[in-house]
Amino acid sequence: MSGNEISRILPAHITPRILDLLKCADGVILAGSYAVGRNISNSDVDIVIFSKKINYIYCESMCETGRNFQFIFFPYYKTPYALIKDAFNGKGIYASMFKEGRIIKDTPNKILTRMQRYMRSCQEHRNKCEDLALIHRISNALEGLNADIPEIEKLYIASEILLNTSKLLTHSYTVDGKHNARNIISDESDTEFIESYRTFVATHDATTFIRDIDSILLKFGGRQTKYTTGWVYTFPHSDNLTVFFPSHVLDSRILECIHSIENICQGCYSYVFYIGKNQAMEEGVFLFLFTPEKNMSEIIDRLNDYSSLHAGDHMKQSIRMTFPYKTFFHEGIIFGGRDNFYSFIPHFRDIWHCFSNLIENNPDQKNHAAKILSTLLLYESAKVIGTPQCKEVATELFHKLILDAADPNGLYNMLQIDDYRKGALKLYSEVYEKNLSTYRETIQGIINGEIVEIGRIRNRISRLYKLVHEIDAGASAIPDIFDSPNKHTILWMNVLDHLMSIFQLTPTEKFGIVYNFSRYIQEYDI
């Protein structure tokens, strides 16, 4: 789309400097009030910038011709995951941009159009665990209104109750007060509690306000003071929980702690994975526990007892943990839904335990073993799905991971990324050429089964790949919003990525493995 076409569609306040930015983008969406025709004289102009040269979602503001512009930058290869996650979280803030936005410039494969179609077709999911957390906060705050505290504190408490109750009624968990007010009006929700809030502010008598809030809470089961904090997502509603260790490495101390928790949770499926910087979850080591049979409240009690008993020892060793951990991981979003994910869990568990035993026996070889096993993943993938599709999967992984290799800390903007990308590729190319003979020997060792320590894990990987291959792509919950239209390719890619996380690899290390294998299969027929 030319600059003149963009100028004609966008508001008249667009300047040449902004046009230059828009023309550099892979896609552009006009969002906010201007997109839906509700703008007023002082409205911001909200513009979504969609680009392959971005590694994380961020915002920038600019004032041009007396008008405030808000630019929301979305990374091309990570946006699908952000949107799917948002679709499971009520009225998500990203969802509204894509639902109501006006596409000004799309990619050649119409990915923004497909994303918009998907978001408009999604039913809003009320998040029960977010509801539970809100009810818990509202319940505690109501107690404060009855306490013997200064009136100014009660006013602030009442304002928090007002905001959280609005979020609860409209399931707008992530938006601010202004947008919650709009949602309350557009949803035609019961607004008596707003009037009673005004009465409380005027009279300092909270009786009617408390009564109205309690009436609303009754629709959700009444006040809630047990089980939950703002961190809880999966407990007590489901059959799983996640333990989080905010550490950048799985060392012997954390591994010992993980084994203790696994022993406490006998009968659960358990496995461990690592998430690096700037990903969908916080950086750290995660222990996932799943049980269709055990009582989750009993397990959480055991974990709390364990934490209390060993808190001092863990603090001395700088071990911190949080359980349950707030995440949508349990929804199996990246695997096409819970059914797929739950069928993968036994295989993830077996692969983790094989790797865990391997690194316990050879702690100094952990990183080397992880890289060998990840190369095995790609090799087995080529055997099961064939080299052509494996190349497609590797290409998708390459594009997904390259920016993490170029920008591991998520610091650089779209104008800087190109140079860093070229520099990263030059470095990886030099390392590959320098170590090509060693890499060939590694591949040959995998082919011949000469690397003894990976023998136990090979069959488990093959079984998992066959399970993935048998999944009906048409029935998969993976939406058509990815760069590749092949759902099996996206599913394979996400499983591969997650298995490398089980091997505790950082995004940068993953890219190195994918880069080497991509170079290899281009030059050699496996």
Side-chain angles (χ1 to χ4, degrees):
M1 178 174 284
S2 70
N4 288 336
E5 289 174 299
I6 295 175
S7 297
R8 189 176 66 251
I9 296 173
L10 285 173
H13 310 284
I14 298 294
T15 65
R17 188 158 64 131
I18 293 177
L19 276 177
D20 287 341
L21 173 63
L22 300 185
K23 284 185 283 188
C24 289
D26 293 290
V28 178
I29 296 177
L30 178 65
S33 57
Y34 272 96
V36 295
R38 291 201 298 262
N39 54 293
I40 57 178
S41 59
N42 63 344
S43 291
D44 291 347
V45 181
D46 300 308
I47 299 176
V48 171
I49 302 292
F50 189 61
S51 175
K52 295 177 181 178
K53 300 175 183 177
I54 298 171
N55 193 28
Y56 62 105
I57 298 174
Y58 68 99
C59 299
E60 295 282 358
S61 298
M62 181 187 296
C63 185
E64 292 278 297
T65 63
R67 181 70 52 182
N68 288 323
F69 287 83
Q70 297 289 337
F71 295 99
I72 307 97
F73 293 86
F74 279 82
Y76 187 98
Y77 291 103
K78 292 182 179 179
T79 297
Y81 302 99
L83 292 184
I84 296 171
K85 180 179 177 181
D86 226 31
F88 280 80
N89 201 22
K91 288 184 172 68
I93 190 167
Y94 304 144
S96 63
M97 293 180 189
F98 282 79
K99 276 183 181 179
E100 301 173 0
R102 187 175 178 184
I103 297 173
I104 304 301
K105 176 184 179 182
D106 205 347
T107 62
N109 61 356
K110 301 295 182 184
I111 194 168
L112 287 181
T113 299
R114 289 188 278 127
M115 286 177 175
Q116 187 170 75
R117 187 186 307 129
Y118 168 69
M119 296 310 295
R120 287 177 175 175
S121 68
C122 280
Q123 291 186 341
E124 290 175 355
H125 292 260
R126 178 174 282 281
N127 186 320
K128 290 182 179 179
C129 296
E130 284 283 16
D131 286 349
L132 192 66
L134 284 170
I135 293 167
H136 181 263
R137 289 198 287 271
I138 294 168
S139 300
N140 285 344
L142 287 172
E143 295 296 325
L145 285 184
N146 283 322
D148 184 17
I149 57 176
E151 289 300 324
I152 186 67
E153 292 183 20
K154 290 187 178 183
L155 282 173
Y156 276 94
I157 290 172
S159 66
E160 287 181 349
I161 293 173
L162 181 75
L163 179 60
N164 286 330
T165 303
S166 300
K167 289 182 177 182
L168 180 66
L169 287 172
T170 62
H171 45 279
S172 304
Y173 308 114
T174 57
V175 302
D176 58 20
K178 177 180 74 173
H179 292 94
N180 257 303
R182 292 175 181 174
N183 289 336
I184 281 284
I185 295 169
S186 63
D187 283 7
E188 298 181 352
S189 301
D190 181 3
T191 57
E192 287 185 11
F193 73 102
I194 298 175
E195 295 305 318
S196 58
Y197 170 76
R198 287 177 175 149
T199 300
F200 166 66
V201 171
T203 66
H204 300 295
D205 182 356
T207 305
T208 305
F209 182 58
I210 292 173
R211 184 197 65 204
D212 287 347
I213 298 299
D214 272 326
S215 176
I216 291 170
L217 293 185
L218 279 175
K219 300 173 184 177
F220 297 88
R223 295 193 191 189
Q224 171 63 259
T225 56
K226 293 180 65 179
Y227 295 127
T228 186
T229 68
W231 284 101
V232 173
Y233 254 153
T234 59
F235 175 80
H237 289 291
S238 66
D239 44 20
N240 65 83
L241 61 87
T242 308
V243 181
F244 172 54
F245 298 85
S247 172
H248 68 280
V249 63
L250 175 65
D251 57 26
S252 58
R253 302 165 305 158
I254 292 179
L255 192 58
E256 181 181 349
C257 186
I258 285 170
H259 288 332
S260 297
I261 292 175
E262 287 180 321
N263 288 331
I264 289 169
C265 302
Q266 286 286 341
C268 290
Y269 288 98
S270 62
Y271 75 95
V272 176
F273 58 96
Y274 170 78
I275 297 294
K277 291 181 180 179
N278 306 312
Q279 308 304 304
M281 295 158 68
E282 285 189 58
E283 180 185 15
V285 176
F286 293 81
L287 168 61
F288 186 75
L289 298 163
F290 169 76
T291 170
E293 300 171 357
K294 291 275 185 180
N295 185 315
M296 195 55 70
S297 60
E298 178 186 335
I299 289 174
I300 198 72
D301 286 342
R302 290 185 205 167
L303 289 175
N304 283 326
D305 290 343
Y306 167 77
S307 180
S308 300
L309 186 63
H310 296 281
D313 294 336
H314 288 160
M315 289 301 290
K316 289 176 185 176
Q317 299 182 66
S318 301
I319 295 175
R320 292 179 293 137
M321 69 183 85
T322 303
F323 46 77
Y325 179 75
K326 185 176 182 178
T327 174
F328 272 115
F329 179 74
H330 69 283
E331 293 284 356
I333 294 171
I334 63 173
F335 305 115
R338 281 192 183 187
D339 290 344
N340 287 355
F341 177 41
Y342 286 4
S343 70
F344 297 161
I345 286 174
H347 299 279
F348 291 158
R349 185 270 313 268
D350 290 346
I351 290 169
W352 154 249
H353 284 162
C354 284
F355 179 67
S356 172
N357 291 334
L358 179 62
I359 62 178
E360 277 190 321
N361 295 331
N362 302 282
D364 296 334
Q365 296 295 313
K366 183 180 75 171
N367 203 43
H368 174 70
K371 292 177 180 178
I372 294 291
L373 291 173
S374 296
T375 303
L376 173 67
L377 294 178
L378 294 166
Y379 173 73
E380 291 294 324
S381 175
K383 281 178 57 180
V384 173
I385 66 176
T387 301
Q389 190 179 352
C390 184
K391 286 182 178 179
E392 184 183 359
V393 172
T395 299
E396 290 295 320
L397 263 176
F398 181 98
H399 289 307
K400 180 181 178 183
L401 296 170
I402 175 59
L403 293 183
D404 289 314
D407 179 24
N409 295 313
L411 298 175
Y412 302 113
N413 61 39
M414 63 185 295
L415 300 179
Q416 297 168 307
I417 283 289
D418 256 354
D419 287 338
Y420 287 96
R421 187 180 188 277
K422 291 172 185 174
L425 288 175
K426 183 175 183 293
L427 175 63
Y428 281 99
S429 177
E430 290 171 353
V431 172
Y432 177 80
E433 296 294 343
K434 182 179 179 180
N435 297 286
L436 181 55
S437 60
T438 303
Y439 191 72
R440 287 178 183 172
E441 291 173 7
T442 299
I443 293 289
Q444 198 59 47
I446 290 173
I447 293 171
N448 297 337
E450 296 169 355
I451 305 175
V452 178
E453 62 264 29
I454 66 173
R456 295 172 298 168
I457 206 168
R458 189 172 202 153
N459 289 335
R460 290 175 173 84
I461 292 172
S462 295
R463 288 201 296 269
L464 176 59
Y465 278 137
K466 288 175 183 175
L467 175 62
V468 174
H469 187 64
E470 291 168 359
I471 289 174
D472 180 1
S476 173
I478 292 178
D480 179 28
I481 60 174
F482 291 86
D483 194 50
S484 171
N486 188 327
K487 290 189 176 184
H488 265 132
T489 294
I490 300 302
L491 184 55
W492 280 102
M493 177 184 72
N494 289 336
V495 169
L496 276 172
D497 192 14
H498 192 59
L499 287 173
M500 286 192 280
S501 294
I502 292 175
F503 298 147
Q504 307 298 300
L505 294 175
T506 67
T508 302
E509 290 168 333
K510 291 178 185 179
F511 176 75
I513 290 158
V514 172
Y515 177 87
N516 291 341
F517 194 76
S518 298
R519 286 284 301 269
Y520 188 86
I521 61 177
Q522 293 295 329
E523 298 175 21
Y524 304 96
D525 185 17
I526 294 179

